[in-house]
Amino acid sequence: MRRFTSFNLVALVFGFAFLYLPILILIIYSFNASRIVTVWGGFSTRWYVELMHNESILDAAWVTLRVGLLSATIATFLGTLAALALVRGGRFWGRTLFSGMVFAPLVMPEVITGLSLLLLFVAINFDRGFWTVTIAHITFSMCFVAVVVQSRLLSFDRSLEEAALDLGATPVKTFFAVTLPLIAPAVVAGWMLAFSLSLDDLVIASFTTGPGATTLPMKIYSQVRRGVTPEINAVCTILVALVTMGVLTASIIGKARAPARAP
Amino acid sequence: MHALRSFLARRVVIAIPYLWLAVFFLAPFLIVLKISFSATAIAMPPYTPVFDGLATLWERVQDLSFDNYVWLTEDALYIKAYLSSVKIALISTVITLFIGYPLALAMARAPDRIRPILLMAIILPFWTSFLIRVYAWIGILKPEGLLNQLLLSLGLIDQPLTIINTDWAVYIGIVYSYLPFMVLPLYATLEKMDYRLIEAANDLGATPFGAFWKITVPLSVPGILAGSLLVFIPAVGEFVIPDLLGGSDTLMIGRTLWVEFFYNRDWPVASAVAIVLLLLLVVPIVIFQKMQQRASS
């Protein structure tokens, strides 16, 4: 029998207060009527209205969304293939190098990933902008997708695939009829992870971007360096709300699916 | 026919991600390595090529220059930056452990029904933007920020504390940003723990703290190590947190590299800084891998 003591309760309350209070304060102050960030001047939504008229922030948001959707989709495709290669690929030439390349970006400092990709784009004379940021995001987020999908591939029952093969399905058909539906939750989770990594990235985008491709984190960063502004509070609140809704939706969908899955 | 098709399919499955990573991960890395051995020149791109042209191997080897690396050891700034990155990452990791451990323990001991909710609540901040979470602390830690207002109104201090732009703000930023990374592996090991061991210790007359110190802590060592490495490794190369919360005297290597590249435009030195930083991180990563292998066997 586990005992939940009052000390445990205190730890929980303090721990979660520490995690959530800063974000909560940010949200509250985004509705502050006063321009001075630290003075409460009554409730108002004026910063959200101003935000809707701020072309440069809206542009940056649009760029970020396009980069995120495109890079997450391609990264999910590549990462799933990489996971399949690692788990089902058998022995192939340069396997160690391949798995090294899949896992290295997970622990590479972002500054190094960004710097090395920029030097590549300069070396091959590739115009920097939307596409270079997208390629950079695909490259580092596909590795996260690969790890998520790989753990799912390792954990499910291979006899289902063998049954399909015994019943005369081709390996390719087996993949689409049996394997893919089984790893689908991991693929979806991988896509979400890749998308949120792309939305969140400042360092790699700063290195690999060019004129006309300023992402939202870069915009926020350049504003923040000049000081805290209520508009940025409003941007951050919207982002937090979107992410929270996304994560909650995903978990509810996951729960709804859970009974349908075989134990 | 089928056999041929599936053979080809397997080849394609492996080849696509392999090629992508070779072009966009391995090649860039080799370019960084190459540039770190080239001499600085005021040109665009700001480096003189080393391996271009059809020089013989011997000539190439002669052309290699360790100047950038020598430069790193001669200028005290870089050594200071490396050391201070490791120091800041270490201190932050220890603080994260002290905050994360009681939290993970409480989550593991919580009633079964609310545990998934608590887990969700730990993961949620991790999904919200890193930049936003760091930014939130600026408003709290500023001299006229919320923390100082609170402490002043409570009469605990009579002068605003200077926290922002000091190393303390960087510790707070790192601890806050990486806390979920510490809590999750700790929670995983603590939740699996056999609680009967604690009961046995209590039956044999151990105090609650004695049982915790002699049983819970030793059994959770794998979680402690995994969590600490997950915080320490990214913290060493951290750029955003020291840049936004730290002061001008907060030296961290990620930021040094950024400045070297964007402001001084010295690509070879920036590349050398990157290579040395990677070498620095190889050690804890190898330890981590060894641990993972041990855990899986």
Side-chain angles (χ1 to χ4, degrees), chain A residues 1-2 8 18-20 25-26 38 89 91 94 115-116 118-119 138-139 170 200 217 221 224 228-229 233 247, chain B residues 2 6 10 18 20 28 32 106 108 120-121 125 129-131 135 144 146 149 176 191 195 199 243 261 267 281:
Chain A
M1 191 51 225
R2 297 159 193 263
N8 291 148
F18 175 66
L19 275 177
Y20 281 93
I25 290 166
L26 188 81
T38 46
R91 298 176 58 183
L115 174 79
S116 62
L118 170 64
L119 294 177
I138 292 167
T139 307
T170 61
D200 199 19
Y221 175 74
V224 169
V228 177
T229 63
N233 287 348
V247 173
Chain B
H2 280 336
S6 67
R10 200 194 113 202
Y18 206 132
W20 181 282
V32 172
M120 186 81 193
S129 168
F130 198 80
L131 191 58
Y135 166 77
E144 69 278 18
L146 281 164
Q149 284 185 13
Y176 182 68
E191 200 218 7
Y195 200 74
E199 283 169 9
D243 195 64
F261 192 88
W267 294 18
L281 288 176

Side-chain angles (χ1 to χ4, degrees), chain B residues 7 25 34 36 55 93 96 137 145 182 184 191 288-289 294:
Chain B
F7 176 75
F25 181 75
K34 168 187 140 174
S36 75
T93 306
T96 315
W137 280 98
M182 180 66 85
L184 290 173
E191 200 218 7
F288 189 62
Q289 281 218 305
R294 263 226 309 271

